[in-house]
Amino acid sequence: MPHPEPVVQPLNMDRGNVLDHAWIVTDDGDLTPPGDAAAWQATGLPHIWSRTHPGFEGTMWYRMQVSLPRKPSVMWAVYLPRVVMNAQVWVNGVPLAYTGVMTQPVTRNWYVPLLTNVPPHLWQEGVNVIHIRVASGFVSRNGLAPVQVGPLDHVAENYKHRAWAQVDGVHGANVALLTVGAFMLLVWVRDREQSAIGFMGLASVFWALGTLVQVAPNPLLTELVWENMAYIFSVHSQLLLCLFFFRFAGQRRVWVERFVFSLMVLIPLYGLLMPQFDLNTLFFALIYALGLWSMAESIWHVLRHGRRDGGWLVAGCLILVPAGAHDVMVLAGALPFDSLYWLHYAGPIMIACNTVIVAGDQARSRRALSELNRTLADRVAERERALKGSFERLAALERSQAVSAERSRILKDMHDGVGAHLTSALRQLQGSDHAPVDVPLVTQTLRDSLDQLKLSVDALSLMPGDVEGLLASWRFRLAPRLKAAGIELVWDVDRLPPWPAGQSPALRQLQYILFEGLSNVMQHSGATRLILSARDLEHHIRVSLIDNGKGWLRSSPYEGQGLQTMRTRAQAIGARMEFLPVPDGGLELRLSLPMHGEPGSVDIAVTP
């Protein structure tokens, strides 16, 4: 349908005026407006180049004639709500300032409203001619929307609202997308099982980056790379969003995900090798259909399982679906050229709805964890009380067993030591009918019994590991008896460290060994001097009884039972016991008490 022939349009001096008809002509290389002889043709606004000049790239001139009843006294403006890709305004043959550059690569003002101030002196009463020079961009839908002309105060108000809707608000939404996307990716990194959240986070970040690259007027890279970055980020964000919906619904169809990942590889290759705007629109429509399927799956999942906070996802889908349809129709030319893109705002709203779901899941998980912690704390406290009661009963039982064991040990020691000596004394007193009673021998036996009883009592008060205290007690109890027997006791004991294995039972065993050795010296060696020696040799403590007698090891009538008892006791405390001859005569009973190792780890060596 042909457009009506443009006429001179009268302008209202008190408000903005919309110009929706113009003459157009392609640039012939001159940087000034073409003359009347150029091949001007009439068109309506909005005008899309592909409808009148398919495949044309370069510069196109638009000419509009307006009439003023008088010359304005205030600043006027020419407002371009949308122009692709950049534009310069001329009024009555005078060029006005423009944004960016008009040569390749052209400044990317495809979604940025442009406002050009026109000083009052450039206007004239009667007919005025406005030229707009439009430079095309890279694989874009080039064109010009209806133009507004009027007093700056009136036109600037419209410009301000549209600039906020198309630029400032989009940047704010991008910041929100990046923030929410980073949060979701952090949630996914901390919990890799949340794959749906990971896809949503990646979709948010890619969406924000794609929009940022699209609305940035000055590319940082070459035009081909920059435009494809915008395209790739946009495509990937929408495909990742589809994967999110499928994963949210618990659907993990391998062939669907392979198809999506294949598109993520192939579509960018197409954008680099043979980009075409119409095919771009077709691909966006295909992805939109895939998105509808994935959203239907997620909504059905919410309805079927009663997903908590699922209403937010449904609300986000109800916003996203019409917004996506609207933008596909804008790209396809089914809606006005100067229509706003809804997905710039519907996307962040959708992401925000899903953020509410994530926050709800986290809050419920935290409450469940807190409740579980409280329950566990109560159970642990109950178990602790039960264990405490069990430990108290066990401790009481152990104390009772320890007392019983100690009583048994004392009784056994008294039986083996004092009891044996008393039994021997009784047999000596009974004697035979033909042999007289050996009173000195009986007396000696009873003294041994009494001394051993005293030493047993002393051992009960010793500190664990106190070998030096044991030897001092031994000297205190037995020195008078040795003196009465005519034996000189020589004290040759150094300062001794605590013996690690020297608990009360071990100290008593050591005491009995020394006492048994002393008894044999007094009864069988005929010694006149006895040296009690002790040395700290770091790895062990050496304790010795050295007499100057004739030796008692082989002459002792108790060699079988007494020596066997000494060996058993030495083995029980992990000591090494040796009988060593003395060069000047006599015998040394040497005990090596290990400072390291467990009791019983040292063998007993006997050297006659």
Side-chain angles (χ1 to χ4, degrees):
M1 179 178 179
H3 295 283
E5 187 72 16
V7 296
V8 177
Q9 179 174 337
L11 299 183
N12 189 306
M13 299 291 293
D14 299 322
R15 59 177 174 79
N17 303 268
V18 177
L19 308 181
D20 56 3
H21 290 85
W23 286 280
I24 58 173
V25 67
T26 57
D27 187 9
D28 57 359
D30 195 353
L31 298 180
T32 59
D36 294 338
W40 293 99
Q41 64 182 86
T43 186
L45 298 180
H47 170 244
I48 299 175
W49 292 12
S50 59
R51 295 177 180 175
T52 58
H53 298 75
F56 174 73
E57 299 287 342
T59 302
M60 186 170 291
W61 286 91
Y62 291 81
R63 186 176 72 175
M64 289 153 278
Q65 291 183 332
V66 298
S67 65
L68 294 174
R70 63 183 180 276
K71 194 172 183 179
S73 61
V74 296
M75 181 71 73
W76 272 42
V78 175
Y79 166 44
L80 309 180
R82 189 179 181 200
V83 60
V84 180
M85 189 63 78
N86 199 8
Q88 180 186 19
V89 176
W90 293 59
V91 174
N92 293 325
V94 178
L96 300 176
Y98 56 87
T99 301
V101 297
M102 295 289 291
T103 57
Q104 296 296 331
V106 177
T107 300
R108 305 173 69 256
N109 286 321
W110 70 277
Y111 201 53
V112 178
L114 302 178
L115 182 69
T116 303
N117 293 337
V118 183
H121 69 272
L122 293 183
W123 299 102
Q124 60 189 13
E125 181 180 343
V127 177
N128 294 264
V129 179
I130 300 174
H131 286 93
I132 300 176
R133 180 186 176 209
V134 177
S136 65
F138 176 84
V139 190
S140 57
R141 191 157 62 110
N142 303 301
L144 178 67
V147 179
Q148 296 184 27
V149 180
L152 177 61
D153 292 343
H154 294 274
V155 176
E157 190 68 20
N158 295 333
Y159 166 78
K160 179 177 66 176
H161 289 97
R162 190 161 187 112
W164 193 95
Q166 294 186 182
V167 180
D168 300 335
V170 172
H171 288 315
N174 272 359
V175 172
L177 275 176
L178 284 174
T179 304
V180 173
F183 166 74
M184 289 188 173
L185 286 176
L186 181 60
V187 172
W188 174 72
V189 169
R190 300 297 297 271
D191 185 3
R192 293 300 182 89
E193 293 183 0
Q194 300 284 346
S195 59
I197 301 301
F199 283 129
M200 175 60 75
L202 286 173
S204 301
V205 172
F206 276 45
W207 196 317
L209 292 176
T211 304
L212 175 64
V213 173
Q214 287 175 7
V215 301
N218 299 301
L220 295 176
L221 305 173
T222 63
E223 194 173 38
L224 175 64
V225 175
W226 191 258
E227 293 290 345
N228 275 282
M229 282 176 58
Y231 181 65
I232 291 170
F233 283 141
S234 299
V235 168
H236 282 191
S237 65
Q238 295 173 48
L239 291 173
L240 289 168
L241 199 59
C242 295
L243 292 178
F244 159 76
F245 285 121
F246 281 123
R247 290 291 179 92
F248 183 87
Q251 301 291 338
R252 193 169 184 178
R253 298 183 176 90
V254 177
W255 70 270
V256 173
E257 294 192 357
R258 288 179 178 175
F259 174 71
V260 170
F261 288 130
S262 299
L263 287 179
M264 294 176 70
V265 174
L266 296 176
I267 291 181
L269 290 178
Y270 144 78
L272 290 172
L273 299 177
M274 49 179 182
Q276 296 182 31
F277 185 83
D278 292 338
L279 283 180
N280 290 355
T281 304
L282 179 62
F283 284 133
F284 277 118
L286 174 63
I287 296 172
Y288 177 74
L290 181 63
L292 289 177
W293 177 24
S294 64
M295 282 187 280
E297 292 276 5
S298 62
I299 293 175
W300 174 242
H301 169 76
V302 169
L303 298 177
R304 183 176 57 181
H305 297 284
R307 178 73 158 76
R308 298 288 297 273
D309 293 329
W312 288 97
L313 181 133
V314 176
C317 291
L318 292 178
I319 294 173
L320 192 64
V321 169
H326 173 272
D327 286 5
V328 170
M329 293 174 68
V330 172
L331 291 173
L335 291 177
F337 178 70
D338 56 350
S339 298
L340 295 177
Y341 286 98
W342 290 0
L343 283 177
H344 290 315
Y345 297 101
I349 293 175
M350 176 66 202
I351 302 298
C353 291
N354 287 284
T355 305
V356 174
I357 297 175
V358 175
D361 289 343
Q362 295 297 321
R364 285 187 292 274
S365 298
R366 187 171 185 82
R367 286 195 296 268
L369 181 60
S370 299
E371 182 63 27
L372 178 61
N373 287 336
R374 285 194 295 270
T375 303
L376 288 177
D378 294 340
R379 292 182 179 178
V380 169
E382 182 180 352
R383 293 293 184 184
E384 285 180 348
R385 289 191 294 270
L387 288 174
K388 184 177 180 180
S390 299
F391 286 150
E392 290 176 351
R393 291 190 296 271
L394 182 60
L397 180 61
E398 288 179 347
R399 287 193 296 270
S400 176
Q401 290 176 344
V403 170
S404 177
E406 186 68 14
R407 184 183 295 113
S408 299
R409 187 164 51 248
I410 292 174
L411 290 175
K412 182 178 183 301
D413 290 342
M414 293 182 66
H415 176 271
D416 293 344
V418 178
H421 285 92
L422 292 176
T423 301
S424 298
L426 181 60
R427 290 178 179 175
Q428 291 166 3
L429 286 174
Q430 291 175 346
S432 62
D433 296 336
H434 305 288
V437 175
D438 189 347
V439 176
L441 180 59
V442 174
T443 303
Q444 178 72 21
T445 303
L446 291 175
R447 284 177 178 171
D448 287 347
S449 176
L450 182 60
D451 289 341
Q452 194 164 26
L453 180 61
K454 291 178 179 179
L455 289 173
S456 296
V457 173
D458 289 344
L460 294 176
S461 61
L462 289 175
M463 295 294 293
D466 189 5
V467 177
E468 187 176 349
L470 181 144
L471 297 179
S473 172
W474 192 89
R475 179 180 68 167
F476 174 75
R477 294 295 184 186
L478 299 179
R481 182 178 171 188
L482 289 170
K483 183 177 181 181
I487 299 177
E488 176 189 4
L489 177 61
V490 179
W491 176 262
D492 186 19
V493 177
D494 293 342
R495 297 291 299 177
L496 301 177
W499 178 30
Q503 302 300 317
S504 295
L507 290 177
R508 283 196 295 274
Q509 299 283 20
L510 174 61
Q511 192 179 65
Y512 288 139
I513 294 172
L514 294 175
F515 185 79
E516 187 69 25
L518 173 65
S519 297
N520 287 326
V521 169
M522 294 181 64
Q523 295 180 38
H524 307 294
S525 70
T528 59
R529 185 180 64 190
L530 180 65
I531 301 174
L532 177 59
S533 173
R535 297 286 186 271
D536 174 18
L537 302 181
E538 294 186 0
H539 297 294
H540 64 277
I541 297 175
R542 189 179 68 191
V543 179
S544 300
L545 281 179
I546 307 171
D547 68 77
N548 63 349
K550 58 184 180 181
W552 52 267
L553 184 61
R554 297 186 180 277
S555 59
S556 171
Y558 301 103
E559 180 175 349
Q561 179 182 352
L563 184 57
Q564 183 62 40
T565 300
M566 293 172 69
R567 288 173 175 170
T568 301
R569 294 183 185 278
Q571 187 174 14
I573 62 177
R576 179 181 180 85
M577 186 174 71
E578 300 175 281
F579 296 95
L580 304 173
V582 179
D584 297 333
L587 187 71
E588 176 184 357
L589 168 60
R590 178 181 294 179
L591 292 168
S592 299
L593 309 179
M595 295 296 288
H596 307 287
E598 298 295 329
S601 61
V602 180
D603 295 332
I604 301 173
V606 179
T607 304

